[in-house]
Each structure stands twice: as C-alpha cells, then as structure tokens.
Amino acid sequence: MADILPFRALRYDLQRVSASQVVTQPYDKITPAMQERYYAASPYNLVRIILGRREPSDVASNNVYTRAAAHARQWRSEGILRQDSSPSIYSYSQTFTAPSGTTFERRGFIALGRVEDYSAKIIFRHEQTLSKPKADRLDLLRATRAHYEQLFLLYEDSGEIDSLLAKPQTATIDVADEYGVAHRIWQISDAGAIAAVQNKMRDKKLVIADGHHRYETALNYRDERRAAEGTGSHPQASYEFVMMTLVNMNDPGLLVLPTHRVVHSLDSFSVEDFHNASRSFFEVAEIDPALDAARATTLLHERGHAGTALLAVMANRAFLLHSPKAAGAQFLAGFSARQQALDVVQLHKCLLEGVLKLSEESIRNQQNLSYLRDASEALAQVRTGAANIAFLMNPCPVAQVRDVAFAGEVMPQKSTDFYPKLLSGLTAYALD
C-alpha cells in the first residue's frame, strides 16, 4: 500500500525573492559552471543548501553541511522560506520542448510518501546505487533535517488520479528554468480532494524514476532515527516520510531520452579488431560514417522495432549492431531474459566488457567512459579525436523499466534519462 500524505511545504516567499533566481536543477545535474551561476543569481539561491561550495579550510565545525544548515536557519528566520499554513498536496506541471521539437506537458503531484524497505514490494528501484553519493546526502540531511529536493516516482493508472487534481485558475508558482521548461505548481488544500487521491494511491506500486541515492538516504536516515529513539513504533514520525513527485507511467508527457556512451583514452584501439570481435556477438552492418545525429536517431528507431539496435561510430567508420547472437551468453550469465532484452545490458556486457575489455569497476568509476545525452556531441568527440568510439542508443521504454523494477532486478547506471528534471526549490519538507 502506497501511503501518501499532504504536508505543509516549506516554500520561498515570492514577495521577497524571484523564483527564477532561487530554483536550481537537481544537485547531481549541477556542473561547476552552473554552481557559480546559481551563486551569482541570488544570495538565497538553493544551491547554497543542496550543493554548496567546498573550501580548503573546511573542518568539522565549518563545512559544506554546517553552512547549508546555517543558511536554512537564517532564511527561515528572515521569512525567505515560509511554511504553508495548511497541509496540502501540490499539482505539478512541466511544459517543455523535446529534442525532436515536439512540445509536451508532463503532469504529476508533490506529496509525502512513506519510506518503505524494498522488501515490502511497495517502492521499487531500477538502478544500483553508489556509496559515496549516499554518504554525502546523508550528511546533508543530518545537518539540515529537511528534504529540499523531490524524488521522482512513477505509479500506473488510466488517468483517474490526475482527474482528481482540480487546479485553481492561477498557479501558486510559475517559473521557467534555464532550458526553457515551464514549471507550474498549484497548492491543493481541499481535504476531500486530498482524501480521494490518497484512496486511489493505496493500491499502487511505485517505481523510482530519479533519485535512487536520495531515496536510500531517506531509508538510512529513518533507520538511524528509529535506532536513536529506541523501542516503540512511531509510524507517523516525520522521518518515516520523504517528499515525492508522483507521475503516472501512462502520462503522454513522460519522456525518456537515451544516454549515449563514449569510450575514450584506451591504451590501444583498433577499428578492425573491434569490427571483427563485435561480429561474434551481433549482426553487424557497415554504414556511412558521415551520418549526422538525425540520421543516427532514425536508423536506431527503425531497427529498434525488431529488438536490440546499437550504433558504434568511430572517426572514419560506423557500424549498426543488431540481432544478438548466442555467443553473448557467456557475458550475460546471471541476467534474466528481461535484462538481456535491454540494449544497455547488451552494450555493457558484450561490447564494453566483452570486446573492449573494460572492467565493471572501471565502468562504474567512469575511467574510460563518459555519458552524453546529445548524439551530436558524442559524434563530435570521435570525429575530433577526443574519443575512440561512441555508442548511440535508443531510449529505454518505460514499460521495460517497470517490468525490470517489479521483478526486483536492476539496470546498469544511467540506463534512463527522464526529461525534463524536476526543479529543486519549488517545495521542501522540513522534518522539524
């Protein structure tokens, strides 16, 4: 049972600050250049809390986490951050233009969701997590005792829940981000509407789309607080919940983009050796190496209807790899049929590990590997000699993400790129 609650969100007072100057992209999407831009935008920009500058002089008593907590306290005392008076859920709309040029609207709602162990089979992951990001987010949560960023979770229905979220005429928050995405929030405090949404959500299973590390941080923090408070059940304690944006898997605006792989800095790389070795695992067709991103996308889309399709592009040659062969079984042992059907698993196991001999650890640490959303950028890197080979991919369908997650299985890192990202700074959940 998915346990969803309204909450009194901590929000910026938009009479005091401009939303466009204080909101940010999620912490793990903020580059150093973006961090500097956010710092310059406003002394109250959320970056100071979610991804503050680290200083060489940092010590236990004065560091990125203690400064984040100090900013949060100061902004609340000044009234820059104010808590809503009524428990609410918050309807959330994102209107955006996809790379294809098509305009979409993705709709969801922000609420609290109970933190559940994966074994309860209510909340499901689809990606593995790494210990370092979780340790960082846990230190921040301990210091600030608030969730300043939303988790992105998916549920499934035919639109009933969204139909219950009747929005007031005027949005509570209306702001465009640096990518031109229009983000709108409507505060919904009507007890009847909230109860109807809660009732509809009770039988739902939830899949984490984005925020695996932060979800597991919330789990770890919950367990810490339970242990600290000793015996006894506190099912309604603040730490038993985390802030979520919930989106219907069938929403027509739910867009997943591909994340391409670029391999660089190999000690020795031979195009001919790659070609010969890859033919053991796939049918391989040589194609025009001068293809552009649009042509690559079309080729992948057309071939992808029949199953796995990957493009391997080098400076002067390019290959379309499809129809996996039985020889790949040696690298796919231990993977279910669902996982083996994923293009990203075929790429990682058969090509990155099998052909190019990259280890799982080096892939995890991105030693010779980078990830790019933009196919044009990936192609440019191989054509300028900055990379050895670019692997272009189709996006992973949401149905595959759902099926892998519900089976209790996982996908390689950066298998999905849900676009656009949820904006940070629209709402926050203060634990005390």
Side-chain angles (χ1 to χ4, degrees):
M1 180 178 82
D3 191 4
I4 302 301
L5 292 183
F7 69 116
R8 294 170 57 216
L10 191 64
R11 295 194 293 111
Y12 280 105
D13 182 347
L14 299 183
Q15 301 299 313
R16 305 280 302 278
V17 297
S18 167
S20 62
Q21 294 179 335
V22 294
V23 296
T24 75
Q25 295 297 311
Y27 85 99
D28 55 344
K29 299 298 178 184
I30 298 175
T31 65
M34 291 167 69
Q35 184 188 50
E36 291 306 307
R37 190 169 73 245
Y38 290 147
Y39 260 86
S42 167
Y44 301 111
N45 188 283
L46 192 70
V47 76
R48 287 174 169 78
I49 293 177
I50 62 170
L51 194 69
R53 290 179 179 135
R54 295 180 182 270
E55 305 291 348
S57 58
D58 281 355
V59 293
S61 60
N62 182 19
N63 57 46
V64 68
Y65 308 112
T66 62
R67 289 191 293 273
H71 286 308
R73 287 192 300 271
Q74 179 186 344
W75 299 353
R76 290 182 73 172
S77 69
E78 291 179 5
I80 299 298
L81 289 175
R82 304 172 68 93
Q83 199 160 25
D84 283 337
S85 57
S86 303
S88 307
I89 60 177
Y90 300 83
S91 185
Y92 184 9
S93 162
Q94 294 169 283
T95 304
F96 61 97
T97 301
S100 65
T102 305
T103 298
F104 293 95
E105 181 188 17
R106 186 174 72 196
R107 295 182 294 182
F109 67 95
I110 304 170
L112 300 187
R114 183 176 296 281
V115 178
E116 304 276 5
D117 294 314
Y118 292 134
S119 59
K121 299 190 182 302
I122 295 170
I123 293 178
F124 297 80
R125 62 179 180 169
H126 75 270
E127 286 187 352
Q128 294 279 21
T129 55
L130 302 173
S131 57
K132 187 175 179 180
K134 287 190 288 188
D136 165 58
R137 292 298 96 180
L138 184 56
D139 283 340
L140 180 65
L141 182 54
R142 287 169 177 153
T144 62
R145 297 171 74 92
H147 295 281
Y148 285 95
E149 298 190 278
Q150 311 149 47
L151 304 179
F152 185 178
L153 283 90
L154 305 175
Y155 67 90
E156 189 166 21
D157 78 358
S158 57
E160 300 97 319
I161 291 172
D162 188 66
S163 69
L164 296 170
L165 298 171
K167 305 178 186 70
Q169 199 165 26
T170 303
T172 307
I173 306 171
D174 189 342
V175 61
D177 68 20
E178 59 262 62
Y179 302 111
V181 180
H183 301 260
R184 296 182 181 89
I185 296 287
W186 292 264
Q187 182 180 358
I188 298 173
S189 304
D190 179 77
I194 292 171
V197 170
Q198 289 178 292
N199 185 56
K200 284 287 188 181
M201 287 297 299
R202 282 199 175 94
D203 65 347
K204 302 302 181 190
K205 296 178 178 180
L206 306 178
V207 175
I208 302 171
D210 271 336
H212 287 78
H213 290 95
R214 284 173 285 137
Y215 182 75
E216 293 184 14
T217 294
L219 270 171
N220 292 336
Y221 184 76
R222 180 205 67 180
D223 293 345
E224 270 190 9
R225 291 289 298 273
R226 283 180 175 180
E229 297 189 12
T231 57
S233 176
H234 306 279
Q236 298 308 117
S238 61
Y239 53 78
E240 297 283 343
F241 296 87
V242 67
M243 185 171 62
M244 302 175 172
T245 290
L246 297 126
V247 173
N248 184 1
M249 291 184 201
N250 298 315
D251 188 292
L254 185 63
L255 183 66
V256 184
L257 299 180
T259 301
H260 309 297
R261 273 65 171 158
V262 176
V263 179
H264 58 84
S265 309
L266 296 177
D267 290 335
S268 60
F269 176 73
S270 161
V271 174
E272 204 55 50
D273 287 349
F274 172 82
H275 180 221
N276 292 334
S278 62
R279 289 169 64 188
S280 300
F281 302 107
F282 299 93
E283 295 294 335
V284 179
E286 187 148 10
I287 60 174
D288 180 5
L291 86 169
D292 60 12
R295 178 61 181 149
T297 300
T298 299
L299 276 173
L300 285 166
H301 180 73
E302 291 172 349
R303 187 67 217 188
H305 288 303
T308 294
L310 302 164
L311 276 174
V313 184
M314 289 134 281
N316 298 306
R317 296 182 75 180
F319 306 104
L320 175 65
L321 297 85
H322 61 91
S323 307
K325 296 180 179 179
Q330 61 181 303
F331 294 102
L332 298 169
F335 287 86
S336 71
R338 278 178 300 272
Q339 291 169 306
Q340 292 183 32
L342 297 169
D343 290 7
V344 67
V345 169
Q346 292 282 342
L347 168 59
H348 274 240
K349 305 308 293 186
C350 295
L351 296 177
L352 297 184
E353 295 181 32
V355 174
L356 297 179
K357 308 302 182 187
L358 301 182
S359 68
E360 279 191 37
E361 184 179 8
S362 74
I363 293 170
R364 188 164 52 246
N365 295 332
Q366 300 181 36
Q367 289 174 220
N368 295 94
L369 188 66
S370 58
Y371 299 88
L372 293 173
R373 178 189 292 164
D374 190 329
S376 296
E377 187 179 349
L379 292 172
Q381 289 205 8
V382 292
R383 287 167 181 165
T384 60
N388 302 105
I389 184 168
F391 293 102
L392 307 185
M393 307 173 63
N394 280 314
C396 181
V398 173
Q400 281 191 311
V401 178
R402 175 199 62 202
D403 293 347
V404 167
F406 284 171
E409 298 165 351
V410 294
M411 303 161 70
Q413 63 197 97
K414 299 187 184 295
S415 295
T416 57
D417 181 8
F418 288 89
Y419 182 83
K421 299 306 175 189
L422 305 177
L423 207 55
S424 296
L426 300 175
T427 61
Y429 170 44
L431 301 182
D432 49 32

